[in-house]
Amino acid sequence: MKKRFKFIPVLAVAIMTVLLIAGCSNSGSQGGLSIGIVLPTKDEPRWVQDEARFNAALEDSEYTTEILFSQGSSAKEKENVETLISKGIDVLIIAPQDGPAAGSAVEAAKEEGITVISYDRLITDTEAVDYYVTFDSIAVGKEQGQYLIDNTEGTGVPLYLYAGASSDNNAFLFFEGAWSVLQPKIADGTFVIANSSEAEALKDKAELSRDEMGKILGQITTNWDPNEAKNKAQTNLTAASAELKGDVAILAPNDGTARSISDVFGSDGDVTSYKITGQDSEKASIQYIIDGKQSMTVFKDVRTLVTDAMNMAVTVLDGNTPETTGSYNNGSIDVPAKQTEVIVVDKENVKEKLIDSGYYEASEFTGLE
Ligand code: GAL
């Protein structure tokens, strides 16, 4: 009898310790980490913008958060997610480096009961995504294409096409949007495709399948890498005949690639003028727009995306269901989504949209009127 009783306090302490640890790791508000954020890379200003906006939004938050970068590696991304899981997060906000490859990382999070929010880029081919916060990526591509249509003259205008990484679902959405407006103008001879035999072969098709887009992207991808974009542009211009130079139009998928492609076209003596698109409103591209080296960018107000993601996370932490405005199929399930509109910025409205709105300071640029 005596012996039995002796064990009770030891057992009680052991049970209490287990409960305490479980309590800490399950509820961020009790000391652990509440929200884990994983972003693709610090090497692109776009994602550094997101980090800064997250930090600003988190200043007054009662919840604890940590932001980790995957530096372009899915293995590092998985490691980051595992680190955050071990720190007891309840919500994971993640912009995947590679859409399908991120599946196993978020599946590991789901197994721990963590709510997964796909941020800006959709994680594909897995059921382990609860929500998606995003900009209207089809609209991004449409705006880029429409800008080229509205700002070039005549017919037979050489059109150089560039796209993002095939591992990023957004790259398909951007291209799909651009193709939806450019294709009729290619079919009627306004534009002549200068650098993609796959796009040329499909020029009479208004709607492309994912496989067909994949073939085109295989030729025109930049992998979101400014250096790769530069090399591709150089190769394209070296191969281009005289009639594919002169006044040209360039579909560049984002600002980082647009600047390097612009530098290449700008230094070709046979290119008389070029209109070139972009996206993200990176500071360096705003300067390029002011200087006339990039024609437009698509402004994606990261403050809104960050607010949406954080509101969603806090709603989940408070035990409620976040509001969504639609859904995106990720190849496996329909993911409830909240979507934000985008704004076209060029030399005409850059001051109004980016300075007067308080997004950037005028002093960060030169030559701003
Ligand atoms: C996309 C993102 C863009 C751009 C690109 C390269 O997924 O939506 O804003 O930055 O990746 O990182």
Side-chain angles (χ1 to χ4, degrees):
M1 280 292 271
K2 257 189 172 175
K3 221 178 177 184
R4 243 178 94 195
F5 273 100
K6 257 193 181 170
F7 274 95
I8 288 174
V10 178
L11 203 70
V13 168
I15 289 170
M16 275 180 66
T17 311
V18 168
L19 286 175
L20 253 170
I21 293 169
C24 283
S25 63
N26 281 339
S27 169
S29 50
Q30 282 174 26
L33 196 63
S34 310
I35 306 169
I37 300 166
V38 179
L39 296 174
T41 178
K42 256 190 194 251
D43 294 339
E44 291 174 31
R46 155 72 218 264
W47 303 110
V48 179
Q49 271 192 58
D50 294 67
E51 181 192 31
R53 303 297 179 185
F54 265 116
N55 284 331
L58 292 168
E59 262 169 23
D60 306 318
S61 171
E62 58 173 298
Y63 292 104
T64 47
T65 56
E66 188 169 332
I67 305 176
L68 298 175
F69 280 89
S70 307
Q71 293 311 103
S73 151
S74 293
K76 176 84 182 144
E77 180 177 80
K78 180 107 199 279
E79 206 180 292
N80 285 341
V81 172
E82 277 158 7
T83 303
L84 293 167
I85 293 174
S86 73
K87 290 188 177 185
I89 56 164
D90 294 311
V91 180
L92 173 67
I93 297 175
I94 173 168
Q97 168 55 34
D98 176 310
S104 71
V106 293
E107 278 153 22
K110 277 258 53 117
E111 271 166 32
E112 300 296 322
I114 293 163
T115 299
V116 175
I117 301 175
S118 206
Y119 179 83
D120 190 277
R121 296 176 175 175
L122 187 58
I123 299 169
T124 51
D125 304 325
T126 177
E127 292 180 10
V129 189
D130 295 286
Y131 300 103
Y132 181 33
V133 283
T134 182
F135 291 102
D136 185 345
S137 295
I138 297 267
V140 171
K142 274 191 187 164
E143 296 290 7
Q144 293 172 331
Q146 194 58 46
Y147 194 91
L148 295 178
I149 294 167
D150 294 344
N151 290 278
T152 47
E153 280 167 16
T155 56
V157 179
L159 174 64
Y160 289 80
L161 299 170
Y162 298 95
S166 301
S167 57
D168 177 3
N169 189 56
N170 284 352
F172 287 85
L173 300 177
F174 300 145
F175 188 78
E176 184 184 334
W179 187 258
S180 72
V181 293
L182 288 173
Q183 183 274 332
K185 296 290 177 186
I186 297 165
D188 76 6
T190 305
F191 292 111
V192 174
I193 296 171
N195 66 332
S196 169
S197 55
E198 295 285 359
E200 177 64 26
L202 291 160
K203 71 175 180 192
D204 292 321
K205 241 187 135 190
E207 275 180 41
L208 302 178
S209 68
R210 181 110 176 171
D211 278 356
E212 288 167 336
M213 280 193 277
K215 282 186 188 160
I216 300 175
L217 259 61
Q219 283 186 326
I220 64 168
T221 186
T222 60
N223 273 319
W224 293 131
D225 177 355
N227 271 322
E228 207 169 318
K230 180 179 163 205
N231 293 338
K232 195 153 271 187
Q234 273 165 348
T235 307
N236 292 157
L237 281 182
T238 304
S241 56
E243 65 268 25
L244 291 177
K245 294 199 176 174
D247 299 316
V248 309
I250 308 163
L251 178 75
N254 76 343
D255 285 352
T257 57
R259 293 194 299 278
S260 60
I261 295 169
S262 169
D263 291 346
V264 173
F265 277 76
S267 60
D268 187 309
D270 297 326
V271 173
T272 326
S273 76
Y274 55 95
K275 297 283 184 239
I276 182 166
T277 61
Q279 109 169 264
D280 290 335
S281 289
E282 289 182 0
K283 278 184 204 165
S285 278
I286 299 311
Q287 191 60 57
Y288 261 51
I289 289 175
I290 296 166
D291 296 343
K293 294 197 286 184
Q294 186 177 321
S295 315
M296 62 89 85
T297 185
V298 178
F299 174 39
K300 310 204 310 194
D301 192 334
V302 170
R303 293 171 300 189
T304 313
L305 204 62
V306 162
T307 307
D308 283 348
M310 287 306 294
N311 283 344
M312 221 175 228
V314 168
T315 306
V316 169
L317 288 168
D318 290 346
N320 299 318
T321 306
E323 266 180 41
T324 49
T325 51
S327 70
Y328 273 76
N329 189 280
N330 79 340
S332 198
I333 50 164
D334 285 329
V335 184
K338 180 134 197 313
Q339 185 167 286
T340 292
E341 297 313 308
V342 295
I343 296 167
V344 173
V345 169
D346 66 2
K347 213 171 183 169
E348 300 305 310
N349 68 356
V350 63
K351 191 173 166 297
E352 176 201 340
K353 299 294 180 198
L354 293 175
I355 310 297
D356 300 349
S357 73
Y359 198 77
Y360 289 137
E361 302 276 331
S363 60
E364 295 174 285
F365 307 100
T366 56
L368 195 67
E369 282 150 28

